[in-house]
Amino acid sequence: MALAGVRVIELAGLAPAPFCGMILSDFGARVIRVDRTKVAMTVDTQARGKQSVALNLKSPKGVAVLKRLCLQSDVVLEPYRKGVMEKMGLGPEDLIKENPRLIYARLTGYGQSGSYAKAAGHDINYLAMSGLLSMLGRSSEKPYAPLNLVADFAGGGLMCAFGIVLALLERSRSGQGQIIDASMVEGAAYVGSFMWKSRSIGLWNRPRGENLLDSGAPFYDTYRTSDGKYVAVGAIEPQFYQQLIQGLGLDDTDLPSQMSVTDWPQLRQTFTQVFATKTQAEWGQIFDGTDACVTPVLSQDEVLSHSHNQARGSFLKDSQGEISPRPAPVLSRSPAEPCGSRDPFIGEHTRPVLKEYGFDQAQIEQLLSAGIVECNEAKARL
Ligand SMILES: C[C@H](CCC[C@H](C)C(=O)SCCNC(=O)CCNC(=O)[C@H](O)C(C)(C)COP(=O)(O)OP(=O)(O)OC[C@H]1O[C@@H](n2cnc3c(N)ncnc32)[C@H](O)[C@@H]1OP(=O)(O)O)[C@H]1CC[C@H]2[C@@H]3[C@H](O)C[C@@H]4C[C@H](O)CC[C@]4(C)[C@H]3C[C@H](O)[C@]12C
């Protein structure tokens, strides 16, 4: 796999950093997640392929153990607010001095500088600060955050993984590691560059929810079908829009012009009435195989059985029966090989990892008895 041989130390975080770690693991990196001790369960639901070491970083000996892990690793990924790692003596200066090849990835909400750098926050806050949240929501409704998708994952975990791969590539030429300052505000905004760079063509010059791509246009929206399900319509171009009208059994000459913005409410009403006359499957029989850009709105469970997704194997079922998306994109020669076994328990791999990283039996026992590390192999054998 593309990242085979890359060794990552992931400090346990909430959601963005775990997603970043899972991406790296899916594409072949060895990801060791460092969990706190005395914690019963992990919140990392994106732990596919990872190993877990439980380590108390509130103790100097625990800090020394982490330094030794980072000394022999390629990447350290930390999900804490600005200054936390420095406070523990684990800042970039501390670690890169000992391992100049180390790639030190810092995934935060607001970045390592600026007045908000030390403030707590979550996806919705970062999305709000990115300028994108102000654009999300239907006309006359308040802005809404689309799950915690845009800042936590698109602009956070994924963007950080991209930064790590860039730094690995650069290191292959320079031999040097570097610090990645991954701010979710900036990552989300960067993902949304189109929203800024297309203002000049007037795509966003109307109020929220009244533009072509923000639920304003009736030919770019969702519609309820007679069985209470929905279809998505994305017939933007005239040639696709004509196929939409044809599939709906409407006569274009009876309708206002597609781009007559003032007539969009009336056009939406017409589409709403027509889509309500058939089931989602019936509309699928009408529109599948055409360029009308009409697709079923599938649930998280329905995605697995849709013929298109099935043909590609777009979704996986692991050994625990959990359905989840397969890694993307698909590389032709070195594709991801996501691990199918269960996620690790906290501290499940403490002993074998410490041994692999050069700690002898006596040192490991000493760390265990002092509570610096925890080992939960027994739980794993149940
Ligand atoms: C996980 C589910 C989904 C959450 C997604 C949500 C929408 C997000 O947006 S997550 C993104 C959050 N932001 C960031 O990641 C940006 C960077 N990070 C931060 O800004 C901060 O870390 C913070 C604000 C997120 C948290 O701040 P906090 O003060 O807690 O921590 P830090 O300042 O960073 O300092 C870390 C401290 O920890 C010490 N540390 C670290 N490692 C170790 C170690 N190995 N040993 C010892 N100590 C360690 C470090 O020294 C620092 O200490 P100091 O502070 O002393 O310096 C979640 C969605 C719903 C959640 C569940 C729900 O809330 C119910 C339960 C609530 C319960 O309380 C917890 C369990 C829940 C089930 C809960 C579980 C999950 O959170 C959810 C499922």
Side-chain angles (χ1 to χ4, degrees), residues 311-354:
R312 284 184 56 82
S314 302
F315 294 85
L316 311 166
K317 192 176 263 190
D318 67 13
S319 57
Q320 315 292 303
E322 181 190 76
I323 298 173
S324 66
R326 77 166 170 181
V330 178
L331 277 66
S332 62
R333 197 168 40 77
S334 58
E337 294 168 20
C339 174
S341 49
R342 63 162 173 78
D343 291 350
F345 292 113
I346 287 184
E348 181 176 348
H349 305 95
T350 301
R351 197 187 293 272
V353 166
L354 293 186

Side-chain angles (χ1 to χ4, degrees), residues 81-93:
R81 72 176 92 194
K82 170 185 162 62
V84 165
M85 291 291 276
E86 284 83 348
K87 217 164 60 174
M88 295 191 281
L90 293 167
E93 291 65 35

Side-chain angles (χ1 to χ4, degrees), residues 29-334:
R30 167 94 179 283
V31 179
I32 294 168
R33 189 187 68 212
V34 174
D35 288 299
R36 292 166 175 75
T37 53
K38 299 188 178 61
V39 172
M41 61 168 268
T42 175
V43 296
D44 180 4
T45 58
Q46 303 167 103
R48 184 166 60 204
K50 299 178 188 174
Q51 292 183 310
S52 168
V53 168
L55 175 62
N56 179 4
L57 292 176
K58 290 298 190 198
S59 71
K61 285 186 178 171
V63 170
V65 169
L66 190 80
K67 282 187 172 179
R68 200 148 149 194
L69 297 181
C70 293
L71 190 60
Q72 303 167 60
S73 296
D74 299 290
V75 180
V76 61
L77 167 60
E78 66 102 347
Y80 306 129
R81 72 176 92 194
K82 170 185 162 62
V84 165
M85 291 291 276
E86 284 83 348
K87 217 164 60 174
M88 295 191 281
L90 293 167
E93 291 65 35
D94 304 303
L95 299 186
I96 295 181
K97 181 173 58 191
E98 294 185 6
N99 176 3
R101 288 175 53 81
L102 186 65
I103 291 161
Y104 194 112
R106 316 196 79 169
L107 179 48
T108 61
Y110 302 110
Q112 296 297 317
S113 58
S115 59
Y116 281 16
K118 290 202 169 188
H122 286 292
D123 174 275
I124 193 167
N125 305 111
Y126 313 141
L127 189 64
M129 288 293 289
S130 76
L132 291 172
L133 182 56
S134 70
M135 303 177 74
L136 298 169
R138 287 188 177 277
S139 174
S140 74
E141 290 181 8
K142 62 183 181 177
Y144 90 102
L147 311 176
N148 58 319
L149 206 51
V150 178
D152 271 2
F153 300 120
L158 177 59
M159 196 62 81
C160 190
F162 174 60
I164 289 167
V165 171
L166 287 174
L168 285 166
L169 178 63
E170 193 281 337
R171 189 183 72 173
S172 67
R173 293 193 298 272
S174 69
Q176 297 291 313
Q178 60 185 305
I179 301 164
I180 298 170
D181 179 1
S183 145
M184 285 183 251
V185 171
E186 293 165 0
Y190 192 47
V191 164
S193 294
F194 175 73
M195 284 68 205
W196 278 266
K197 299 180 89 55
S198 57
R199 295 176 81 175
S200 58
I201 57 174
L203 264 188
W204 314 103
N205 55 8
R206 297 174 60 80
R208 179 174 60 249
E210 295 181 22
N211 299 282
L212 192 143
L213 299 175
D214 67 356
S215 77
F219 48 85
Y220 199 84
D221 202 349
T222 56
Y223 291 92
R224 188 183 169 92
T225 53
S226 66
D227 52 352
K229 295 188 173 187
Y230 290 88
V231 291
V233 174
I236 301 172
E237 295 79 353
Q239 66 272 26
F240 302 152
Y241 178 75
Q242 283 312 315
Q243 294 193 45
L244 168 68
I245 299 304
Q246 199 177 342
L248 291 173
L250 295 171
D251 182 340
D252 200 13
T253 56
D254 296 339
L255 299 174
S257 158
Q258 177 191 2
M259 289 305 179
S260 169
V261 175
T262 52
D263 291 313
W264 279 356
Q266 177 207 331
L267 199 52
R268 185 189 315 278
Q269 198 173 11
T270 303
F271 290 174
T272 302
Q273 286 160 357
V274 177
F275 272 116
T277 62
K278 288 180 173 53
T279 65
Q280 185 192 73
E282 287 166 341
W283 286 119
Q285 282 157 4
I286 291 169
F287 287 114
D288 278 3
T290 74
D291 279 344
C293 309
V294 177
T295 48
V297 176
L298 299 175
S299 71
Q300 283 185 289
D301 294 323
E302 290 169 331
V303 291
L304 198 67
S305 55
H306 189 283
S307 57
H308 172 77
N309 293 338
Q310 251 185 358
R312 284 184 56 82
S314 302
F315 294 85
L316 311 166
K317 192 176 263 190
D318 67 13
S319 57
Q320 315 292 303
E322 181 190 76
I323 298 173
S324 66
R326 77 166 170 181
V330 178
L331 277 66
S332 62
R333 197 168 40 77
S334 58

Side-chain angles (χ1 to χ4, degrees), residues 7-24:
R7 301 211 292 188
V8 179
I9 301 296
E10 174 195 325
L11 289 154
L14 282 180
F19 179 51
C20 179
M22 186 180 78
I23 294 170
L24 302 174

